[in-house]
Amino acid sequence: MPDAPTTKGRATRARIVEGAAEVLREQGVTFTTLDDIRGRTGTSKSQLFHYFPDGKDELLLAVAQFEADRVLEDQQPHLGRLDSWESWQQWRDVVVERYELQGDQCPLGSLFLQVGRSRPGARAIVTELMRHWQEQLARGMRALQVNGLVSPALDVDRTAAALLAGIQGGVAIMMSTGDSTHLKAALDTGIEHLRARAGEPTARRA
């Protein structure tokens, strides 16, 4: 992909990616054509290939990055300020709401099926998404430690990794069954574990 050397060029590329993401969410990857994307974004064929010379696969990877960024953006501002039990509960509710609204259609998963999850570009997007997500959770746990709400002995990185794994497992089950019970259980149990390490009584949600 050539660099967009101007502000206008970067804005045009971003507009194409965002418009493509809208079309792909509405129609699905399989049924979306470049003509559909051109029509939505008001882009000529030459302009589309100027920003994405390798065609649809390159554009799909760009949309995959856009969707990966949205995963974390949709959890803000709560994910960025996990320094109290109230903020953790608010974050938990936002995560559940996001995936319940998404239902069994995962734009990111569909995109990776199309472009190939094992492709270096696709693998890098997933790796970065999980790394940033885990780092944010770990940062929140350290904030709890600083505020005296969690024991300094807590293995923050390992606990953050376990919580993220639980979320991903819960989302996978929800996509297969339409039931968010497992996702809620993973989040609630993870937060209860933190509270237990603080010496506070755990209060299971109804």
Side-chain angles (χ1 to χ4, degrees):
M1 181 200 75
D3 291 333
T6 66
T7 299
K8 182 179 178 181
R10 290 190 293 272
T12 299
R13 185 180 186 278
R15 176 174 58 79
I16 294 171
V17 171
E18 187 169 357
E22 292 175 357
V23 176
L24 289 164
R25 279 177 171 265
E26 293 170 6
Q27 300 179 189
V29 176
T30 303
F31 299 103
T32 298
T33 66
L34 289 179
D35 286 340
D36 294 327
I37 294 169
R38 288 178 49 235
R40 175 66 62 90
T41 59
T43 307
S44 67
K45 187 173 182 179
S46 62
Q47 192 176 29
L48 190 68
F49 279 91
H50 170 74
Y51 291 104
F52 305 97
D54 290 337
K56 188 175 181 180
D57 279 358
E58 184 177 355
L59 176 56
L60 290 180
L61 277 176
V63 175
Q65 182 65 67
F66 174 82
E67 292 288 1
D69 292 341
R70 283 185 59 172
V71 170
L72 299 184
E73 289 170 3
D74 288 349
Q75 298 175 49
Q76 299 297 351
H78 309 295
L79 183 61
R81 58 184 189 199
L82 295 172
D83 56 358
S84 68
W85 297 125
E86 181 182 6
S87 62
W88 275 87
Q89 195 61 52
Q90 290 171 337
W91 166 75
R92 175 263 188 210
D93 293 343
V94 165
V95 172
V96 171
E97 181 181 20
R98 180 195 193 280
Y99 284 105
E100 285 182 338
L101 288 173
Q102 176 180 286
D104 61 359
Q105 299 298 319
C106 176
L108 198 56
S110 298
L111 287 161
F112 287 140
L113 285 176
Q114 178 72 22
V115 301
R117 192 181 299 270
S118 62
R119 282 185 55 175
R123 187 174 292 275
I125 291 170
V126 176
T127 299
E128 279 299 290
L129 169 60
M130 295 304 160
R131 183 178 69 82
H132 284 300
W133 199 345
Q134 184 175 326
E135 284 179 351
Q136 293 275 0
L137 293 173
R139 186 176 296 115
M141 293 176 192
R142 291 190 179 95
L144 293 178
Q145 289 177 324
V146 169
N147 291 336
L149 297 174
V150 167
S151 167
L154 178 72
D155 186 336
V156 167
D157 292 325
R158 186 169 182 269
T159 304
L163 179 55
L164 180 56
I167 294 169
Q168 292 302 300
V171 170
I173 294 173
M174 192 190 75
M175 288 180 60
S176 299
T177 66
D179 186 351
S180 62
T181 298
H182 297 83
L183 173 60
K184 293 175 181 176
L187 286 160
D188 291 342
T189 301
I191 295 173
E192 288 165 8
H193 172 71
L194 291 175
R195 294 180 74 98
R197 293 304 302 267
E200 296 183 18
T202 60
R204 288 190 176 275
R205 291 174 61 91

